[in-house]
Amino acid sequence: RLWHEMRLNQIQSEFLAAVTHELKTPLATLELASSLLRQTDVSKEDTDRLWRSHDSELKRLRDEVETLLEAA
């Protein structure tokens, strides 16, 4: 029983580490895009590209959260 509890604890820890990593990646990209969009010297083309990236990462983050909620 103790081994089973230890293994379950390990699986939970590994799962949380993986989830944290998967959520940090789109968050970091969103933070970078947001900080670049705040700059006044960004070209129209770069602004459009950053917004597309922003939208893509938001969708990715929403999908990750939805998947986690379904798994829970």
Side-chain angles (χ1 to χ4, degrees), residues 7-63:
R7 179 68 183 132
L8 182 58
N9 191 18
Q10 179 184 7
I11 290 170
Q12 288 172 334
S13 294
E14 290 170 0
F15 175 76
L16 288 175
V19 166
T20 300
H21 174 75
E22 290 299 317
L23 293 177
K24 280 186 171 187
T25 302
L27 285 174
T29 304
L30 287 167
E31 288 175 345
L32 177 61
S34 294
S35 68
L36 290 171
L37 285 167
R38 279 193 289 269
Q39 295 180 8
T40 57
D41 60 343
V42 178
S43 71
K44 172 73 171 129
E45 294 81 21
D46 286 340
T47 299
D48 291 342
R49 191 177 63 233
L50 287 167
W51 275 116
R52 284 191 303 274
S53 171
H54 207 266
D55 287 342
S56 173
E57 290 301 317
L58 279 172
K59 181 186 180 322
R60 179 178 168 193
L61 190 55
R62 263 192 315 272
D63 291 347

